[in-house]
Each structure stands twice: as structure tokens, then as C-alpha cells.
Amino acid sequence: HGIPGDVADDANLGEQTLATGDVNADGRTDLATCVAGAAAGGVSGAGAALVLYGSKRGLTGKRSQELSPATKHVPGDPVASGNWCEDGVNLGNFNGRGGDDLVVGDPNATVAGQSDAGDVTVIYAGRRRLSGKGARLISLLTPGFPGDPLSSEYFGYVNYEG
């Protein structure tokens, strides 16, 4: 069982960010990283997040996941995103249920016609792995966030669990 997807030589696997946590709540450390140049949904260079799960023997490709806006229930459009996950991932229990959830920053996303306004995608942990169900796309247009998206604001450039 290897790592999913087709990682090209120029895909930049793990170049930007690595995050550790416990996605499946089994007490073992899991790893999330970006594959900025990965093909997703038939779009070359769309970008994806890669999650490797821990086992008794360490990290393994078994049950690993590649997630992107082309993944069922994950919001966004791989064509519009272009290099989704290029600038950051993080793991943390953001909804208070089960394992750690995945956060992906896309600071170059166009929001309300504003280029590079940025957004963040939160993909929640399911029973044994991440699930696109209930995933949220958050930007400065999201109710409860102050302000309006501005061009070159780069919301989501750095995201920390806190």
C-alpha cells in the first residue's frame, strides 16, 4: 500500500509545511503535508494535501489520503484554486470531536473578485480518517469574521491551531 495519487517530479511534496497530530484518534502520530503541484480532479498542478497515518511501526502509506477540492464534499474548485495547499497545512481538533482535523490555507484564492484575498479549508476527522463531509471553506466573507476580502490580503497564509 503506497502513497495515493500521482506525484510528479515537480510536485513539491512537503516543501512548504508539515503538521503532526492524531487524525484517527488511535494514539499514534499522523503526518499531513502539501503536494503543491499534484494533479487533482484532472487539473495538473491543482495541489493537494497528503495525510500519512501512524502505525506500530511508524508512518505508513497504508490508508493514506490525498485530499483536494476535487475530493467528494471538500469545497472549492481545483481549476480556480490552482496550487491549493501550496502555503500551509495544520492539524488540530477544531470541532471538539474525535481526532484532529485538517486545515489548509490557500492565501492566493480569489474571493468576491479580489485576487489573492485568500481562504482556509477545514476538513474534519471522521471515525477512522478525514472525511470531506461537513468540510468548510472560510474566508473574510464567512459570517462572524470581521472585514471584507481585499486584494493581496493573503488570508490563510499561515494557520496555527490554537
Side-chain angles (χ1 to χ4, degrees):
H1 297 282
I3 296 173
D6 183 16
V7 179
D9 290 340
D10 61 352
N12 303 321
L13 172 64
E15 184 175 278
Q16 297 294 328
T17 313
L18 297 172
T20 59
D22 189 2
V23 173
N24 53 2
D26 65 355
R28 297 186 174 96
T29 301
D30 306 317
L31 176 78
T33 189
C34 292
V35 188
V43 179
S44 178
L50 177 66
V51 178
L52 300 174
Y53 290 91
S55 71
K56 290 186 266 186
R57 298 178 187 205
L59 291 173
T60 177
K62 186 177 181 183
R63 297 185 339 262
S64 60
Q65 290 180 272
E66 185 178 81
L67 301 135
S68 75
T71 303
K72 187 175 181 179
H73 302 299
V74 174
D77 176 1
V79 174
S81 294
N83 268 349
W84 184 80
C85 191
E86 178 178 33
D87 291 302
V89 294
N90 205 346
L91 290 169
N93 192 341
F94 298 102
N95 61 2
R97 292 182 258 152
D100 289 335
D101 311 308
L102 176 69
V103 176
V104 179
D106 186 2
N108 300 114
T110 298
V111 178
Q114 300 294 319
S115 63
D116 299 324
D119 60 32
V120 172
T121 304
V122 182
I123 304 171
Y124 296 105
R127 291 188 67 207
R128 296 185 189 172
R129 54 192 292 151
L130 292 166
S131 169
K133 289 184 181 180
R136 294 186 62 198
L137 185 65
I138 300 170
S139 74
L140 293 179
L141 284 179
T142 302
F145 284 80
D148 295 313
L150 301 173
S151 184
S152 301
E153 189 150 31
Y154 303 108
F155 178 77
Y157 182 67
V158 177
N159 57 70
Y160 295 100
E161 180 247 334

